Amino acid sequence: MKSWLAWGGVIGLALLAFALREGARASHRAQPTELSPEWAIDDPDAAYHLRRTSLTLHSGHVPGSDRFLNHPAGSPIPWPPLADAIFAGIARATGALHGEGPMRVVNEARLEAVLVHVPPVLGALTVLAV
């Protein structure tokens, strides 16, 4: 039993190291004006979380409603805000937001290149915690 736990920890650490290395490489490749087609998000749910993270970076808080849902009246966003708040904190820490005040600009290529690695890192951390 203990050997399985040890191997699980080793595998988790290896996955975490790989995800961090790939995340660092991807964030250095992304330029402010280029799109990163190799990391393109094509899942509608993931794309909406990317939009919600971008809105959070611009406004400073996770929006509770969005006019893009049931336009023009808008609709409440059905997902809890914790994941998007975490994504926005990670994106802000990795330099996806540039500028000050109303002139803030989100570097979408860097945002996508960084956030695509968050689920594997969270999965590796979950393995380590278990």
Side-chain angles (χ1 to χ4, degrees):
M1 177 80 171
K2 290 182 182 180
S3 65
W4 284 105
L5 290 176
W7 278 111
V10 169
I11 292 170
L13 285 174
L15 287 173
L16 179 63
F18 176 75
L20 291 175
R21 180 180 63 98
E22 288 299 313
R25 287 177 53 202
S27 65
H28 288 299
R29 274 196 314 261
Q31 299 298 320
T33 58
E34 77 177 61
L35 294 177
S36 299
E38 70 231 32
W39 299 114
I41 292 177
D42 60 355
D43 175 47
D45 184 56
Y48 190 76
H49 281 288
L50 193 64
R51 171 180 160 65
R52 193 172 179 199
T53 301
S54 180
L55 290 173
T56 302
L57 287 171
H58 277 292
S59 67
H61 67 280
V62 180
S65 64
D66 189 358
R67 290 184 56 199
F68 278 25
L69 302 174
N70 191 26
H71 187 75
S75 177
I77 299 173
W79 298 288
L82 181 62
D84 298 313
I86 291 171
F87 293 160
I90 292 169
R92 184 174 284 123
T94 57
L97 184 67
H98 301 287
E100 295 294 325
M103 300 303 292
R104 288 185 289 207
V105 176
V106 175
N107 181 344
E108 291 180 6
R110 180 172 296 244
L111 179 67
E112 187 175 3
V114 168
L115 293 185
V116 78
H117 295 289
V118 171
V121 169
L122 291 177
L125 292 174
T126 302
V127 169
L128 290 175
V130 171

